[in-house]
Amino acid sequence: MPQLLPGDRFELDNILPRDLSEGIIPLDPGLQSLFAHAGATVAFQSADTSVIPLRYDVQKNAFAGIDQNVGNSRLILECVSTNPLQFILKAASPLPRHADHLATPNGVQESRFAFSEGDRELLIDSSVTFARLREHEVSLMGTRLGMVAGFDDLLTLQVVRDVEPLEYQRKTVETVLRRFRGRALLADEVGLGKTIEACMVLLELVMRGLVRRVLILTPPSLVEQWQGELSRKFGLDFISFDAQEFREQGNAAWAQHDRILASFHTAKREPHRSAVIDREWDLVIIDEVHHFRNRTTQLWKLAAALKTKYMLMLTATPVQNNIEELHSLVTLIKPGLLHTAKAFHRHFTQRSDKLTPKNIDELHRLLSDVMIRNRRATTGIAFTRRIARTDTIDLTPAEREVYARVSTFVHEALRAGNALSRMSLITLQKELGSSTQAASATLRKLATEGHVDAKARKSLRELAALAGSTTAGAKLDRLVDLARQFPDQMLVFTQFRATQSAIVHRLEEEGTASVAFHGGLTRMEKEDAVRSFQQGTRIMVATDAGSEGRNLQFCNAVCNFDLPWNPMKIEQRIGRLSRIGQHRDVHVFNLVAADTLESAILHLLEAKIAMFELVVGEIDMILGTMDEDKQFEEIIADLWISSDSNAQFRNALDQLGERLLRAKEAYIAQRELDDRLFGETFGVKS
C-alpha cells in the first residue's frame, strides 16, 4: 500500500476569506489525526522564502498564526520529511490537471481520471473505476495520511487510559482495520475483552477522521457499563437513549447526536426504528448480537436495514439452534459472503444434524474473512479462582424494627402508587439493606417534599426519627471482625455515601487504616486515594460509581458490605480485582442481613447459578440468555411489589431461579457447541 513520502503535495481549497482574516487555515477532517495525534509539524513559507512555524489548533482543526496576505493563491501542503514528520505550507500557482476534461450533464467542465490499483486500495470498499479529481484527492489524502501507513501504528495505544491492551487484542484490532476493513464479527470467549477490542477500533477510526456518526446497540443491562467504559478508558462521550436531554428532544434526537448508545430493544420499536434506519451511520456496534441471529425477528430486520460503512458485531456464542444462524449474522456484516440462504443450506447444512455443518473447511475459509474468535487456551490467559464466603448477620432488635417498619411503608407506598416516585422508594429500600444511616438521610429528605400528603409526611418523619436514633452496629461489627481475620488489603464496596462514611468512621475507631474513594472526589483526590491504597493502606472503602474503570489487581480481597439487586453490578465489583492481570486467588466476602430482600436475592444467585464460581463475563451471558427487556433489578422489584406476603415473594423468586438455571444450562450448551464448531481456527496469529 502506498505510504506518505517526502515531496507529496496536497492542495487546500476549502478556505474562506473569513478564515484568512482570522489568521487560520482549516484542514480536511482526514488530516486531523496527523496533526492532532501523530506529532506532525508545519511551517508557512512566505513569498520571500522565509519560514514561519505554525500552531495547530485542535479545537478548530486548523493552522493558526498566518499573518501573511496570501490573496487568491492556491495553498499547497508539502511533506518535506517523514522522520520526523514535517510539512511546509506555501502559496503556489494552480496545479496542472491530471486527466481528460469531461462535460457533466449541466455543461460544467470537470476533471476525472483512472486511478491505479495501489491507489484503489486506499479508497476503502471502492467499486468505481473513475472518480472526480477533487473527490479522489480528498479520499487519498484523508486515507493515506490519516491511516498512517495502513494502520501499521495504532494511534489508540497512545491515548487509552487504565487499559493495557494485550498482544492478541492489538492483533485483533489490526486485523479488523486492515483485513476486514472495519466490518467484523468479534466472537472471543467470555472474559477476553471483546468490548475493549471494539472500543479500540472505534477510537482508531475516530482519531483518523474516518468516523463521526456512531450508533452502539446493547442489551438494556449493558448500556450504563458501555457508557462508562467509553468515557473513562477511551475519552469518548456517548449520549444514552434514556438521558433526559435525549428524551426531551423526542424522536428527533436520533438525528441530532453523533454518538448514541441505546438498548436494541428500544431501537427496534417505533417510532425509534424509523429514525434509526433513516440515518446514515459511519459505524454501528452491536453487542450480544446473538439476539439477532433469527432473521424472522424484529432485531434482525432492524440490523439489516441499518445504513453504515463500518459494522462490528460482538458475541461469544454465534450459534445456538442451527448452523443457519451463522449465515444470518454474517449476512448482516458482509452480504453474499456465505451466498444466499438457500445456497448456504444446500452446501453446508446436514439434513440429519443442523448443528454439524458439512464442508466445514470451506465454511471456515469463508468465515476467516469476517470472524475472529480468540480463546483462553490460545491466548495464554488464565483466570485465578474466586473463593466466596457469605456471612449472614442477625440485625440487632432496634435495627430489625427499623427494617421491618420502613420496608412495610415502602411496599405499601409502591403498591398504592402515591406521590412518592418509584425510583425514590426503591432507592430507600436498597439503602435500608445497606445501613440505617443511609436510609435515615433519605427518609428526612422525602418528608420535606412538597407533593407528599400529610399522612405520608407524618410517617416519613416518624421513620426518619426512628432510623436516626438507631445505631447501625451488626454489619459493622462483622466487618471489623473480618478485617482482623483477613490480614491482607481489602476493597470494601457500598452503594451509598452515608454507609461509606459510617464504615470509615468505625474503622478509624478500631485503629484500622482506611481510605475512601467515591465519585465526588476530584481527579487528584482520586489519584491520591489509589496511591495510598497501593502503598499499603489496609482498606479502601469505595462506592460503585467511584471505583469504575480502576484496575486494582494488587489487591485480592473484595467485601460486599451491601448487595446490589443487579448481579452484573456485583460482578463489576469483583471484576476490579478478578480480571486479566490478577495472579492470586480472589477472596469475595458478602455481608448480608438475615431475612432481608438482599439475603433472598443472594440465595437465589448462589443456589441456582453458583454466581461466584462463574468466569468473568459469564453472568452477563446467562442474564442475556433470559432475553428480558427489563434489567434484573427491575424484575426483582416487580416481583416484590406484586407479592402479598413474604411467602408469595419467595415462591416468585423460586420460579425466577428456575428460569436462571435454564438460562445457565442454555449458555453452557451454546458455549460447548461454538467450541466444537469453531475450535481454535479463528484466533489471531501472533
Side-chain angles (χ1 to χ4, degrees), residues 481-494:
D481 290 341
L482 179 60
R484 295 192 185 111
Q485 296 167 10
F486 191 85
D488 290 342
Q489 287 181 291
M490 185 185 301
L491 178 60
V492 177
F493 274 111
T494 176

Side-chain angles (χ1 to χ4, degrees), residues 152 175 556:
D152 286 344
T175 300
N556 74 319

Side-chain angles (χ1 to χ4, degrees), residues 10-22:
F10 303 95
E11 177 187 350
L12 307 180
D13 65 355
N14 58 337
I15 304 166
L16 301 175
R18 181 183 69 253
D19 297 325
L20 293 176
S21 67
E22 295 176 356

Side-chain angles (χ1 to χ4, degrees), residues 349-498:
T349 304
Q350 298 192 69
R351 183 174 300 177
S352 59
D353 184 0
K354 292 187 176 182
L355 287 174
T356 303
K358 57 185 179 181
N359 301 316
I360 193 168
D361 290 341
E362 182 181 353
L363 178 60
H364 281 183
R365 179 181 60 79
L366 292 172
L367 289 174
S368 66
D369 285 336
V370 72
M371 176 175 162
I372 296 175
R373 179 175 172 81
N374 295 306
R375 303 186 64 196
R376 286 187 289 275
T378 55
T379 59
I381 300 299
F383 295 103
T384 59
R385 292 185 306 161
R386 295 178 177 184
I387 303 172
R389 186 182 102 186
T390 296
D391 288 359
T392 302
I393 301 156
D394 291 324
L395 297 176
T396 65
E399 289 174 316
R400 175 57 59 190
E401 181 184 3
V402 172
Y403 188 91
R405 289 182 58 182
V406 175
S407 288
T408 299
F409 173 84
V410 171
H411 190 258
E412 291 177 351
L414 285 167
R415 287 170 68 91
N418 66 14
L420 293 169
S421 72
R422 173 184 167 111
M423 180 179 294
S424 297
L425 291 167
I426 292 295
T427 299
L428 174 58
Q429 185 64 36
K430 292 177 180 178
E431 289 171 331
L432 194 59
S434 177
S435 70
T436 55
Q437 288 93 332
S440 176
T442 297
L443 286 165
R444 290 194 302 271
K445 178 177 178 294
L446 292 177
T448 63
E449 293 189 359
H451 56 272
V452 177
D453 61 53
K455 181 180 178 181
R457 192 183 312 279
K458 181 175 182 294
S459 296
L460 286 166
R461 286 173 175 168
E462 291 175 352
L463 293 172
L466 178 64
S469 63
T470 302
T471 302
K475 287 174 70 175
L476 287 173
D477 289 344
R478 185 61 60 89
L479 177 61
V480 170
D481 290 341
L482 179 60
R484 295 192 185 111
Q485 296 167 10
F486 191 85
D488 290 342
Q489 287 181 291
M490 185 185 301
L491 178 60
V492 177
F493 274 111
T494 176
Q495 300 171 83
F496 306 106
R497 291 278 296 277

Side-chain angles (χ1 to χ4, degrees), residues 256-269:
Q256 293 176 5
H257 298 278
D258 283 337
R259 297 175 185 171
I260 299 176
L261 183 58
S263 154
F264 46 59
H265 288 303
T266 296
K268 75 180 181 183
R269 294 191 291 263

Side-chain angles (χ1 to χ4, degrees), residues 1 33 41 75 134 161 177 188 245 284 335 343 357 387 405 432 510 514 587-588 617:
M1 181 178 288
S33 63
T41 60
L75 291 175
R134 182 55 188 157
R161 301 189 295 268
L177 294 170
D188 290 1
E245 178 186 355
V284 172
I387 303 172
R405 289 182 58 182
L432 194 59
E510 297 294 328
S514 66
H587 296 268
V588 181

